[in-house]
Amino acid sequence: MTVATTDGDAASGPVVGNSKTKIYHLPGQRNYHINSKYAVQFANEALAKQAGYRPALK
């Protein structure tokens, strides 16, 4: 699992993305705890969006 971090605000909590689908999940969402070689962890939503990921619909 890769971790992307910055000194920015991490108030939105950890975000888990799927590098294959470019979709990220927030805590409490389905598939948040993915156990996959495609799992990427971000410190917050802003970093996930900067990396080209979009939010999960559910």
Side-chain angles (χ1 to χ4, degrees), residues 7-56:
D7 291 336
D9 179 28
S12 61
V15 175
V16 176
N18 182 317
S19 64
K20 187 172 182 178
T21 62
K22 294 290 197 178
I23 296 173
Y24 68 82
H25 302 272
L26 299 174
Q29 288 184 319
R30 185 180 351 162
N31 295 327
Y32 177 74
H33 296 287
I34 61 174
N35 185 12
S36 167
K37 66 181 178 181
Y38 303 111
V40 180
Q41 188 175 29
F42 297 96
N44 56 48
E45 283 188 85
L47 289 173
K49 288 178 182 178
Q50 285 177 348
Y53 287 71
R54 70 167 180 84

